[in-house]
Amino acid sequence: MLIGELAERAGTSTRALRYYEAHGLVLAQRSANGYRVYEEAELRVVREIRALLDVGFGLDDVRPFVACLRAGNASGDVCPDSVTVLRRKLAEVDAYLDRLGAVRQQLHAQLTHAIAHREETCPRKRQSAH
């Protein structure tokens, strides 16, 4: 299939496909007239790339999943290198969640304190007589 068809079927742009190709993630053959021609299997690869990028993976993180698919596996996440990346990304997400939990606790405490003490220290606004 040509680049436009692959882009449409995968829900991405031709520019993104050329970018993935430049980074060695997507493989294309060249026709006699120089057009990129993609095998049907590249559709699955591009969908895997898009799904991983959409949840925050970088291109280097995607490589093991693509290699896993190219090795003939039905899924890109069943190979040891893919599992390693998944574990690392999960640990990163857990760390972000821990940090967000701490920030939430701090904001909640600050808000609770502010509400309890607002009447004591803040002067009331005067209403203007118009």
Side-chain angles (χ1 to χ4, degrees):
M1 81 186 87
L2 296 178
I3 193 169
E5 180 183 353
L6 178 58
E8 183 177 328
R9 289 178 63 193
T12 192
S13 67
T14 57
R15 182 176 181 209
L17 293 176
R18 287 189 292 272
Y19 182 76
Y20 304 153
E21 183 183 348
H23 283 83
L25 296 171
V26 175
L27 304 177
Q29 304 297 318
R30 292 289 183 157
S31 66
N33 59 5
Y35 292 150
R36 289 174 171 86
V37 179
Y38 298 90
E39 297 292 326
E40 186 69 24
E42 293 306 297
L43 178 59
R44 176 69 184 110
V45 169
V46 174
R47 285 180 175 158
E48 183 89 5
I49 292 168
R50 296 296 310 151
L52 293 167
L53 293 176
D54 286 348
V55 296
F57 284 63
L59 285 181
D60 286 337
D61 295 328
V62 169
R63 291 184 192 288
F65 296 86
V66 171
C68 193
L69 287 173
R70 293 207 190 288
N73 296 290
S75 176
D77 60 6
V78 298
C79 296
D81 289 345
S82 301
V83 170
T84 298
V85 172
L86 288 170
R87 283 187 175 133
R88 182 178 48 77
K89 290 302 278 186
L90 184 58
E92 288 175 15
V93 169
D94 286 342
Y96 292 143
L97 290 174
D98 289 346
R99 176 67 181 127
L100 285 173
V103 168
R104 186 188 188 289
Q105 286 177 342
Q106 180 181 350
L107 290 172
H108 186 269
Q110 189 173 352
L111 177 60
T112 300
H113 181 266
I115 290 171
H117 295 92
R118 71 177 173 203
E119 296 297 323
E120 298 172 9
T121 58
C122 295
R124 293 193 183 267
K125 288 185 178 181
R126 290 186 178 180
Q127 293 183 351
S128 59
H130 287 287

